[in-house]
Amino acid sequence: MQTASVSSSVAMSEVPSWRTPPTVASGVAVHDWPCASLPSPAWLPASASPAWPPCVGDWQVSKPLTRRVSVTYPTALDGFTINGVAVSAHNAVEMPADGSAVFVAYPGVYQVGIGESKLLSAKTVTVSTADGDGSHELWVEATDELVAALQEQVDAKVDECAKEKGTSPYGCPFRAYTYSTIRNFAWTVSQYPKVTRNVSVQDGTFTTYGGTMKYTYEEKRSSGWTPDNGSSEIGAMPGTFDIDGDTVHVDFDTSGF
């Protein structure tokens, strides 16, 4: 919703003007008043002062009738729509610390939404410039498709960790405890963790619950190398995500692993 200066030509063949530039409420229309030679209109008395013709020219809006519209939207989104037109932070004139975006708009009523998306759902918010400078929140929720997309990346992360050969793989939410000399240690996935349903699109965060890993190894004993095995629960896998069109980008918070 970018605004542009508005200029319109006004034909003034018969304008009763006394050289007083007019003003417009909540915005000022100024006139450059160059004089032109125009025939005197029939209604103008010969004794009229000032003499005809009045100064005429192009009208220009020097102070547009714009208002500030503030919209708070989820950090996970790359943008949203206003009256069906895609906008983002790049179109905003200000990005306050409260997470909102401020746009400039002409007086009117606007429909704020997210457009078509298989990953998100949201009710359209009606925004009126008459509401003042208060922020309007676009509340967005995750669809089953978004949860499934997050689950795919959780599974991929667990599969990547399962390739590790150590008992405490770096950046992975599980570990094994052994108390003797071992060799040929290997992980396998017994059950993948599940993404919780309380995915927060507003904050762009999610987490998981459950999940189990199994491991096998050989332990050195007095009788020789003996096969052994065990299991380990998978810890919660919190993360953040952002959405670009139909693509979901995920970052896992491995600080607690």
Side-chain angles (χ1 to χ4, degrees):
M1 283 177 28
Q2 298 175 334
T3 61
S5 59
V6 179
S7 176
S8 60
S9 297
V10 181
M12 301 181 66
S13 60
E14 296 187 359
V15 180
S17 171
W18 304 113
R19 300 176 184 269
T20 304
T23 60
V24 179
S26 301
V28 180
V30 298
H31 203 287
D32 54 12
W33 300 102
C35 291
S37 297
L38 291 176
S40 179
W43 48 261
L44 185 68
S47 60
S49 179
W52 186 265
C55 295
V56 296
D58 292 332
W59 290 91
Q60 291 185 332
V61 176
S62 65
K63 182 179 179 181
L65 304 173
T66 55
R67 300 288 185 271
R68 292 165 66 87
V69 174
S70 179
V71 178
T72 301
Y73 66 102
T75 56
L77 293 186
D78 62 338
F80 53 97
T81 64
I82 299 181
N83 280 8
V85 178
V87 297
S88 68
H90 298 293
N91 303 107
V93 296
E94 185 181 347
M95 295 292 293
D98 62 2
S100 61
V102 180
F103 300 86
V104 173
Y106 283 101
V109 177
Y110 298 88
Q111 303 299 316
V112 179
I114 60 172
E116 295 184 4
S117 174
K118 65 180 183 180
L119 302 173
L120 305 168
S121 65
K123 292 182 178 180
T124 300
V125 178
T126 300
V127 177
S128 172
T129 56
D131 295 338
D133 293 337
S135 182
H136 304 268
E137 184 171 10
L138 182 61
W139 187 263
V140 183
E141 295 182 342
T143 63
D144 291 341
E145 286 80 359
L146 175 54
V147 175
L150 294 173
Q151 184 67 57
E152 285 182 7
Q153 299 206 38
V154 167
D155 293 353
K157 175 66 174 176
V158 173
D159 286 340
E160 180 183 349
C161 286
K163 297 176 182 178
E164 298 294 328
K165 301 302 181 181
T167 57
S168 300
Y170 178 78
C172 297
F174 50 80
R175 56 188 41 82
Y177 297 95
T178 58
Y179 303 97
S180 58
T181 303
I182 63 172
R183 69 180 185 182
N184 298 330
F185 188 93
W187 292 100
T188 56
V189 181
S190 176
Q191 183 179 18
Y192 289 97
K194 299 296 183 183
V195 174
T196 60
R197 287 298 307 177
N198 58 337
V199 174
S200 174
V201 180
Q202 305 304 115
D203 298 328
T205 60
F206 72 97
T207 191
T208 65
Y209 69 95
T212 306
M213 300 293 293
K214 288 185 177 181
Y215 54 87
T216 58
Y217 61 94
E218 290 180 293
E219 181 181 19
K220 188 175 184 180
R221 298 178 181 175
S222 58
S223 57
W225 292 101
T226 304
D228 206 345
N229 63 78
S231 63
S232 174
E233 292 185 357
I234 300 175
M237 300 174 62
T240 60
F241 66 91
D242 60 77
I243 298 172
D244 183 5
D246 290 333
T247 303
V248 182
H249 303 280
V250 170
D251 267 326
F252 290 97
D253 179 7
T254 61
S255 61
F257 292 173

